[in-house]
Amino acid sequence: MKESWSAFDTFEPHFRPLVVIELAKDTKEETKEWLTQRIEDKKKNGGAQLLVKPLAKEDGGKIDGNENIYLVGASYLRLLLGAETVGLVKECNDNSMRTFTYSSRKTFKDFAEDNHNFLTMSECQYIIKHELENLRAKDEKMIPGYPQAKLYPGKSIVRRLLTNGILIQFFPLHDKEELKKLRHIWYSRVKISFQPLDEIRCYFGETIALYFGFLEYFTFALVPMALIGIPYYVFAWEDYDKYVMFASFNLLWSTVILEVWKRCCARMTYRWGTLLMKRQFEEPRPGFHGVLGINPVTGKEEPVYSSIKRQLRIYLVSLPFVCLCLYLSLYVMMIYFDMEQLALDYHEENETSFSNLMLFVPSIIYAVVIEIMNRIYRYAAEFLTSWENHRLESSHQNHLILKVLVFNFLNCFASLFYIAFVLFDMKLLRQSLATLLITSQILNQFAEALFPYWLQKRHNKKIKKRMCASKMDSDLSLFEQINMEKEMGTYLGTFDDYLELFLQFGYVSLFSCVYPLAAVFAVLNNITETYSDALKMCKIFKRPFSEPTANIGVWQLAFETMSVISVVTNCALIGMSSQVNAIFPESKTDLILIVVLVENQEVEVCEEDKLHAVSSI
């Protein structure tokens, strides 16, 4: 039974800042007063019942440039009640996992009225984020001081402030001591060991911990492929027809590792309590707009947008645009093959060391062009998906991921399929696969970690000079921390990280039988990726809000789809090999039937494993 909010006084004598709110520089005083009042008001009056204070010196004075920065916290009691509201799952004294309720709080392990560490800092920040985002208008018709910023009953105040540019950002603060400990055990020392996933989860939340867990698992899963690939490369390098054994292993490997991951993921999320979390009713996403109406399910007043209009936008604009981009990708691919032919003709005429190096130039240029096209298309896909005006964030993400994956798959792998099944040139296939894989890994490492780290180091030096120039007291580390963190880049989620692993999985599972070192380079890349991703989470980006999750979401389906394509591709490569053709020297029909039969059996095994995994969970 939930306790009544009116029965509690959530005053806290010791204020602990958890979240930072930054308003625009020209924000009007009446807007500031109204917003802070709404945040502090009791729940029964429509407030968030949180604690909020302006950023100020110990003596109460303001610092130039920080007048519009506010710190948000909450009392321990308020956080416990909020934990019940968001449905956090915690471990009980009998070692079972149950949804936390304030009335039964004493049955949970490590709970004590004076133990403020019962909830992790990331859980506290998640609760505050939930309360701020669910701070809704009551009788207000507009944001005070901004007549153009219209409000209506039930409208999220924070979302309206964001869309009107009044609220610049709000983000969780780093815990410097805990972050220092995490850095020390995570990446300060280069060592081969398991990642501290439980500590990552406690600090950054389940979504990011699951990504690093999947990255670690995928890296270890690549090791058998790498160990087989090294001797295969050494002893059978120039004989491209002897890839049947490697392709056969690929068939099993690409299927088994994803099914094993499901079980690993379920064990982790059960231990963390998110596997049992009840899915909350999804609110409209911040960018959703429409005519004000009544939601027939909830009865609440909210924007309503015609699904017919959305479908027309998808099929008459988005789909043709995606098809046009796919055609452009294929056109660029044909230019690449023209460049390959020119390089080959030049090498045949000269046959020098320089001409031999020139053979790799077209592949390198094409790999760079692919990365550029992928990034440009990503922005276009985001714009189109926002323009489609999906009501739910999950629907928005699914449409965005579908657009990006379709284009990236064709853009990255079309040339490899063309070489393998149209040109039947295994030597060129090996060269193209190696160049695309290695070049993309180098570019991603530079773009995602090295360049942002260099920019952040430069910015931190400027901030420190500015703090010294203002002649602040030595005990103003909080001011320095907030000023540094508010200028840091915002971590946009695990989308790009999973996309990189998805493409890597494609390179390894589809055609690595003709380039056995693909898994070796993937392992080396993932080891450095682990450290670079840890670095950017701890030193380059602001701390992201924790997001509870039970699995890797739609990416599981994406990897499984790639696995099925891998099965079909490897079966086709096996059917093309001279070894298999020697068994059926006269009857090609028998060979085709056997290849199709093997493909169907592998796909059926994949589907049965998926159903078994779902039922076991």
Side-chain angles (χ1 to χ4, degrees):
M1 178 180 176
K2 286 191 175 183
E3 304 284 353
S4 171
W5 281 92
S6 59
F8 299 102
D9 179 10
T10 55
F11 171 76
E12 180 77 13
H14 304 291
F15 179 78
R16 180 194 183 193
L18 294 169
V19 174
V20 177
I21 291 178
E22 182 183 6
L23 302 176
K25 291 184 178 180
D26 58 350
T27 303
K28 298 178 181 178
E29 287 299 323
E30 59 180 311
T31 308
K32 297 178 187 178
E33 293 175 5
W34 171 78
L35 178 60
T36 54
Q37 183 63 40
R38 289 303 308 272
I39 293 174
E40 292 175 338
D41 270 351
K42 294 185 177 296
K43 292 286 286 185
K44 64 180 181 180
N45 298 327
Q49 207 163 337
L50 300 173
L51 305 175
V52 58
K53 291 184 178 181
L55 181 62
K57 293 181 180 180
E58 295 295 328
D59 59 4
K62 295 289 184 70
I63 301 175
D64 292 339
N66 294 281
E67 297 87 354
N68 296 313
I69 296 177
Y70 292 83
L71 307 179
V72 182
S75 67
Y76 182 50
L77 173 59
R78 175 66 182 86
L79 292 171
L80 292 176
L81 295 171
E84 179 177 348
T85 302
V86 300
L88 287 184
V89 175
K90 305 291 285 185
E91 187 176 2
C92 295
N93 292 324
D94 60 0
N95 297 324
S96 64
M97 304 295 292
R98 296 177 191 168
T99 303
F100 178 80
T101 57
Y102 184 77
S103 58
S104 60
R105 60 193 180 277
K106 294 183 180 179
T107 64
F108 289 87
K109 184 176 289 187
D110 299 327
F111 177 83
E113 298 294 346
D114 58 349
N115 179 19
H116 289 201
N117 294 322
F118 174 70
L119 298 174
T120 65
M121 187 174 182
S122 64
E123 288 173 338
C124 296
Q125 291 167 333
Y126 171 67
I127 292 167
I128 289 180
K129 173 178 178 280
H130 176 271
E131 295 298 338
L132 289 175
E133 289 184 339
N134 285 276
L135 189 62
R136 302 189 177 277
K138 295 183 66 179
D139 302 323
E140 301 96 335
K141 301 296 182 183
M142 63 177 187
I143 301 291
Y146 295 88
Q148 75 280 8
K150 302 295 183 183
L151 289 174
Y152 51 83
K155 174 64 180 176
S156 171
I157 291 174
V158 168
R159 291 176 180 176
R160 176 58 73 200
L161 291 169
L162 283 169
T163 54
N164 283 269
I166 302 169
L167 175 61
I168 303 299
Q169 61 179 336
F170 68 106
F171 59 91
L173 272 174
H174 274 295
D175 184 327
K176 292 191 295 183
E177 292 301 319
E178 289 299 319
L179 184 61
K180 186 177 179 180
K181 293 177 184 177
L182 179 61
R183 287 205 305 259
H184 178 71
I185 62 175
W186 194 3
Y187 69 88
S188 293
R189 294 175 296 173
V190 178
K191 59 185 184 301
I192 299 177
S193 64
F194 291 104
Q195 295 183 85
L197 295 179
D198 289 332
E199 287 79 4
I200 296 170
R201 175 254 170 182
C202 286
Y203 194 85
F204 288 111
E206 290 77 14
T207 297
I208 291 173
L210 266 185
Y211 161 70
F212 281 101
F214 182 74
L215 174 61
E216 178 181 87
Y217 170 82
F218 184 52
T219 304
F220 279 104
L222 285 166
V223 171
M225 291 281 286
L227 293 178
I228 295 175
I230 292 173
Y232 198 94
Y233 166 81
V234 173
F235 298 114
W237 176 239
E238 292 299 336
D239 193 348
Y240 302 105
D241 290 328
K242 294 183 179 178
Y243 54 71
V244 175
M245 292 296 293
F246 202 93
S248 300
F249 180 76
N250 239 341
L251 289 174
L252 298 174
W253 176 84
S254 60
T255 303
V256 170
I257 65 165
L258 295 178
E259 300 309 317
V260 176
W261 162 251
K262 286 182 180 179
R263 289 158 175 76
C264 295
C265 178
R267 284 198 296 269
M268 280 192 295
T269 53
Y270 179 80
R271 186 172 74 248
W272 296 339
T274 54
L275 186 65
L276 305 176
M277 280 189 72
K278 295 180 180 179
R279 186 175 180 181
Q280 295 181 328
F281 181 78
E282 211 170 342
E283 297 285 344
R285 52 183 291 270
F288 178 67
H289 58 84
V291 180
L292 192 61
I294 302 296
N295 186 312
V297 178
T298 63
K300 293 182 179 180
E301 199 173 24
E302 65 177 44
V304 176
Y305 188 77
S306 171
S307 61
I308 297 177
K309 289 183 180 179
R310 184 181 301 113
Q311 296 300 319
L312 288 175
R313 289 187 174 191
I314 292 173
Y315 291 109
L316 297 183
V317 179
S318 296
L319 183 59
F321 177 80
V322 172
C323 292
L324 178 64
C325 291
L326 296 178
Y327 171 78
L328 179 63
S329 174
L330 294 175
Y331 184 78
V332 172
M333 180 190 74
M334 299 312 296
I335 295 175
Y336 155 66
F337 286 121
D338 291 339
M339 294 171 60
E340 281 284 0
Q341 187 60 47
L342 291 173
L344 183 61
D345 293 342
Y346 179 80
H347 177 66
E348 290 176 351
E349 290 177 4
N350 297 274
E351 293 188 358
T352 61
S353 299
F354 177 74
S355 65
N356 193 45
L357 289 175
M358 288 297 293
L359 291 175
F360 293 92
V361 172
S363 296
I364 294 173
I365 294 175
Y366 184 51
V368 174
V369 170
I370 283 177
E371 290 298 318
I372 294 173
M373 290 176 65
N374 284 345
R375 294 182 184 276
I376 293 175
Y377 176 83
R378 168 71 185 277
Y379 291 116
E382 288 178 344
F383 173 80
L384 274 179
T385 309
S386 297
W387 179 72
E388 289 166 5
N389 197 27
H390 296 278
R391 178 180 176 273
L392 302 179
E393 184 64 32
S394 59
S395 177
H396 175 87
Q397 287 297 322
N398 289 342
H399 280 80
L400 175 61
I401 289 173
L402 179 61
K403 289 186 184 73
V404 173
L405 288 187
V406 168
F407 180 81
N408 277 255
F409 180 85
L410 189 78
N411 201 30
C412 293
F413 302 118
S415 61
L416 301 179
F417 279 100
Y418 186 84
I419 295 170
F421 302 115
V422 178
L423 301 180
F424 302 106
D425 189 340
M426 294 302 163
K427 185 173 183 179
L428 179 59
L429 179 61
R430 180 204 67 185
Q431 175 187 312
S432 297
L433 175 60
T435 307
L436 289 175
L437 176 64
I438 296 171
T439 305
S440 65
Q441 289 177 347
I442 293 173
L443 291 175
N444 283 326
Q445 289 286 351
F446 177 78
E448 292 183 7
L450 298 179
F451 184 63
Y453 179 71
W454 176 73
L455 290 178
Q456 189 61 43
K457 289 282 286 184
R458 284 190 62 191
H459 178 74
N460 286 350
K461 288 180 180 178
K462 292 180 181 179
I463 291 292
K464 288 179 179 179
K465 287 180 180 178
R466 191 188 311 164
M467 302 295 285
C468 293
S470 60
K471 298 180 181 179
M472 293 183 178
D473 298 333
S474 59
D475 189 24
L476 291 178
S477 58
L478 178 62
F479 294 105
E480 183 178 349
Q481 178 187 352
I482 292 173
N483 273 278
M484 284 186 175
E485 289 186 23
K486 75 183 182 72
E487 299 297 337
M488 285 180 172
T490 301
Y491 182 65
L492 300 177
T494 55
F495 185 99
D496 290 326
D497 298 313
Y498 278 119
L499 179 61
E500 184 179 347
L501 291 179
F502 171 80
L503 296 177
Q504 185 186 91
F505 178 65
Y507 284 126
V508 173
S509 63
L510 292 174
F511 298 107
S512 63
C513 59
V514 297
Y515 183 59
L517 290 185
V520 177
F521 283 109
V523 169
L524 294 176
N525 175 79
N526 288 358
I527 292 173
T528 58
E529 183 81 13
T530 300
Y531 286 98
S532 63
D533 283 352
L535 176 70
K536 73 181 183 183
M537 293 304 306
C538 295
K539 301 199 74 173
I540 297 176
F541 292 119
K542 297 184 191 74
R543 182 179 188 174
F545 280 104
S546 167
E547 289 292 340
T549 186
N551 48 56
I552 62 174
V554 71
W555 289 104
Q556 180 73 38
L557 178 61
F559 277 89
E560 289 172 353
T561 304
M562 180 67 82
S563 175
V564 173
I565 297 173
S566 168
V567 168
V568 176
T569 303
N570 281 278
C571 284
L573 289 171
I574 291 172
M576 288 167 50
S577 70
S578 59
Q579 293 167 291
V580 175
N581 274 274
I583 302 175
F584 305 94
E586 298 179 357
S587 177
K588 297 296 182 183
T589 304
D590 292 345
L591 173 59
I592 294 172
L593 289 175
I594 289 177
V595 169
V596 172
L597 179 63
V598 172
E599 288 177 357
N600 288 335
Q601 289 297 322
E602 286 289 339
V603 172
E604 287 177 8
V605 169
C606 291
E607 294 301 325
E608 289 175 1
D609 286 343
K610 291 175 190 176
L611 292 174
H612 178 70
V614 171
S615 61
S616 64
I617 291 174

